[in-house]
Amino acid sequence: MSHHDERTFVMVKPDGVQRGLIGDIVSRFEDRGLKMVGGKFMQIDEKLAHEHYGEHEDKPFFDGLVEFITSGPVFAMVWEGADATRQVRNMMGETDPADSAPGTIRGDFGLDLGHNVIHGSDHEDEGANEREIDLFFDEDELVDYTLDTAAWVYEDEDH
Ligand code: DAT
Ligand code: MG
């Protein structure tokens, strides 16, 4: 069942927390059949923000992005499942909520590029999922367990 154990890093951003969207967003991933293996309610400090968004440090929006992501609590998570990184990105929609299809998280909950509710590891950036998981979680904060519904989500999973 190794092809069911891809892990990806996901985070409800400060706007999503303030707007009470943690539950809705968690529900979407649960409903999809993904398995939560880590979750942490926390506030990101300047140093972690710079590490997490390092790829954008030369962009004009970087300072505003750091200010926003450190402005209030976030809910950081690790979700596991088949093709998890790409599937989560598909469920998130486009970077700009204004370009995101209805039915996606950003398309349903956002209108503004600077307040786009959720972060998910980039599936086109090889290894970004593992790097971001390592940045936010210690190994002992991730839980290995069997989700009893997996046999109904995956055809080749044993009952
Ligand atoms: P994503 O969050 O979809 O992976 P990204 O990695 O390109 O998008 O950018 C990280 C965040 O930076 C994004 O969620 C919102 C912000 N951002 C991206 N492009 C921006 C822009 N042109 N102006 C303002 N903020 C931007
Ligand atoms: Mg990105």
Side-chain angles (χ1 to χ4, degrees):
M1 61 182 219
S2 61
H3 59 295
H4 301 160
D5 65 5
E6 183 178 318
R7 289 178 171 183
T8 190
F9 176 72
V10 183
M11 172 169 72
V12 181
K13 293 182 178 180
D15 54 333
V17 172
Q18 290 292 337
R19 293 176 54 207
L21 298 176
I22 293 173
D24 288 271
I25 289 170
V26 167
S27 282
R28 288 180 181 227
F29 298 132
E30 288 178 327
D31 289 351
R32 190 74 195 278
L34 293 165
K35 174 168 78 172
M36 192 195 281
V37 295
K40 194 192 286 192
F41 189 70
M42 60 182 285
Q43 187 149 4
I44 297 178
D45 63 21
E46 193 96 357
K47 179 170 176 284
L48 180 57
H50 276 78
E51 286 175 320
H52 176 62
Y53 280 129
E55 62 171 314
H56 297 302
E57 64 187 350
D58 297 328
K59 310 260 174 67
F61 59 82
F62 182 69
D63 289 348
L65 180 60
V66 169
E67 193 178 338
F68 165 60
I69 209 67
T70 59
S71 67
V74 300
F75 188 55
M77 295 161 278
V78 178
W79 286 90
E80 182 180 294
D83 196 28
T85 313
R86 189 170 67 94
Q87 295 305 329
V88 165
R89 289 294 302 203
N90 287 343
M91 292 170 74
M92 285 167 50
E94 304 299 321
T95 298
D96 191 341
D99 296 329
S100 299
T104 64
I105 293 165
R106 285 167 170 170
D108 285 347
F109 297 135
L111 286 168
D112 188 318
L113 174 57
H115 285 169
N116 61 5
V117 179
I118 186 169
H119 170 86
S121 301
D122 188 349
H123 66 290
E124 291 176 334
D125 181 359
E126 178 82 37
N129 54 338
E130 295 295 341
R131 283 199 307 277
E132 292 180 350
I133 290 167
D134 287 350
L135 193 55
F136 279 84
F137 288 90
D138 294 331
E139 190 54 46
D140 66 2
E141 293 176 316
L142 303 177
V143 184
D144 272 314
Y145 66 103
T146 300
L147 199 58
D148 289 334
T149 51
W152 297 105
V153 172
Y154 301 110
E155 186 179 19
D156 60 353
E157 190 100 10
D158 290 333
H159 286 274

